[in-house]
Amino acid sequence: MKAILCSQFCGPDDLVLSDIPEPVAGPGEVVIAIKSAALNFFDLLMIQGKYQVKPPFPFSPAAEIAGVVESVGSGVTDVKPGDRVAASCGHNGARQKIALPASSVVKIPDNLDFDRAAGIIVIYGTALHALQDRADPKPGETLAVFGAAGGTGLAACELGKLLGLKVIACASSDEKLEFAKQHGAELTINYAKEDLKDALKRIGGEKGIDIVFDPVGGAYAEAGVRSLAWKGRFLVIGFAAGEIPKIPLNLALLKGCDIRGVFWGAYMRRDPKDGRANLEKLMRWAAEGKISSHVDRTFPLEQTADALKVLAGRQAMGKVILHP
């Protein structure tokens, strides 16, 4: 079968399309014929050796997949060959088939296509865990979303609206902000044109912003913490800007605010029952049209490098999907 392989830390152009042996389902496992594999910004970091998770070589990028169960190992009773499923795999999604623990897969509703199903897992899983489990949201509170047109940011806009929050989309272009408004944002800030700290202060007023969702990091993070209301919550999602910020802790003291880490992968390992329930809820919401799981564009497997460059250039508004 075909797979995109990373055999040493490298850039997108150094990935190689290779032939590898087909997987076999061991006890408790299923083999999935992959129809759609979703890419994320951290795939770029992973192949470059800059991510906190460093898989053994050779590995494939793409951490989330959707497809059809081809075979099952001994002891598997929840799924059967022919079932339409989606799963988080961490890496190795950019290939034609994969063997995964049956406990890690969720069934896809009949009216949900493979592309949208694959794109739900990481970004909506992260955003729902952040907002529902970590932010303690109260209806009517303000939620500022940085990188609002990217995958995770867009998911946060949609889920924030579903949870009854007043969503403030923050992004680097008017086109991205208009897109975020179509997906749940009520107010917008273009931080390429306006100082982010000043804009958040203008919108938050004397009270401040209740929740900041930050997958960007860099210079934006401190502005986000400074904008918080008393007992506000700053959600650390990731560092797409490349720089891990250093926050003056006196801000947390003066504002009585919380800086809360959101590590969805660790949450899924440590609390798999609740994590699976979240994913099943998200699949239902997507099938019901409550969340869009918007796909920006798709690529064949052999164009994985081009797909990753779209993410590197921050051109994507929604998900980038591979078709193995």
Side-chain angles (χ1 to χ4, degrees):
M1 70 172 188
K2 298 294 185 183
I4 292 288
L5 294 184
C6 175
S7 298
Q8 60 185 8
F9 293 133
C10 63
D13 286 326
D14 300 311
L15 297 171
V16 178
L17 181 65
S18 306
D19 286 299
I20 64 171
E22 294 200 4
V24 176
E29 290 185 335
V30 298
V31 170
I32 300 166
I34 299 172
K35 303 299 183 183
S36 302
L39 292 171
N40 294 277
F41 187 82
F42 63 74
D43 286 305
L44 278 165
L45 302 179
M46 193 178 286
I47 66 171
Q48 294 168 352
K50 297 178 180 177
Y51 193 56
Q52 59 258 34
V53 177
K54 294 179 174 60
F57 297 122
F59 69 89
S60 303
E64 47 191 341
I65 59 98
V68 177
V69 174
E70 189 173 84
S71 61
V72 301
S74 61
V76 175
T77 57
D78 290 345
V79 293
K80 63 185 185 303
D83 282 350
R84 303 170 74 249
V85 297
S88 169
C89 52
H91 57 279
N92 285 344
R95 53 183 60 188
Q96 291 179 315
K97 298 179 184 180
I98 192 170
L100 292 173
S103 60
S104 70
V105 307
V106 293
K107 293 182 182 179
I108 301 171
D110 291 341
N111 61 334
L112 183 61
D113 63 79
F114 289 118
D115 286 356
R116 292 179 64 222
I120 286 171
I121 300 167
V122 171
I123 61 169
Y124 284 92
T126 297
L128 186 62
H129 173 50
L131 297 177
Q132 173 186 273
D133 305 324
R134 300 291 290 141
D136 300 326
K138 301 168 187 64
E141 286 190 319
T142 48
L143 166 67
V145 179
F146 298 172
T152 312
L154 198 67
C157 288
E158 291 190 350
L159 291 174
K161 183 178 181 181
L162 263 180
L163 294 172
L165 302 173
K166 183 177 183 178
V167 179
I168 306 156
C170 308
S172 59
S173 75
D174 291 339
E175 180 188 12
K176 290 179 177 179
L177 291 171
E178 183 57 37
F179 185 66
K181 286 187 76 172
Q182 296 168 19
H183 291 269
E186 184 175 334
L187 300 170
T188 61
I189 295 172
N190 183 335
Y191 44 52
K193 292 181 177 179
E194 185 176 8
D195 181 79
L196 179 61
K197 184 176 74 171
D198 292 343
L200 289 170
K201 186 175 182 180
R202 170 174 52 79
I203 292 175
E206 288 188 14
K207 179 178 183 292
I209 306 295
D210 296 300
I211 304 166
V212 172
F213 181 99
D214 181 17
V216 180
Y220 299 124
E222 185 173 329
V225 175
R226 288 185 181 277
S227 76
L228 287 175
W230 177 252
K231 294 187 177 180
R233 288 83 77 201
F234 181 87
L235 303 176
V236 182
I237 312 298
F239 313 105
E243 177 191 346
I244 297 176
K246 296 176 174 61
I247 304 296
L249 284 180
N250 65 308
L251 295 175
L253 183 153
L254 294 171
K255 292 177 171 291
C257 67
D258 292 349
I259 298 172
R260 300 184 181 181
V262 179
F263 190 178
W264 177 80
Y267 163 71
M268 291 297 290
R269 289 192 301 273
R270 292 170 179 268
D271 202 347
K273 184 178 179 181
D274 284 353
R276 185 185 180 91
N278 275 358
L279 289 183
E280 290 172 343
K281 178 192 296 185
L282 290 167
M283 292 294 170
R284 287 197 307 272
W285 283 353
E288 293 166 0
K290 293 180 179 177
I291 57 176
S292 70
S293 189
H294 179 78
V295 175
D296 180 83
R297 62 194 86 179
T298 65
F299 292 85
L301 188 65
E302 57 268 25
Q303 292 179 19
T304 298
D306 295 332
L308 286 167
K309 288 175 187 175
V310 169
L311 293 175
R314 299 183 191 174
Q315 299 167 28
M317 294 192 290
K319 293 297 289 193
V320 175
I321 303 291
L322 300 176
H323 286 161

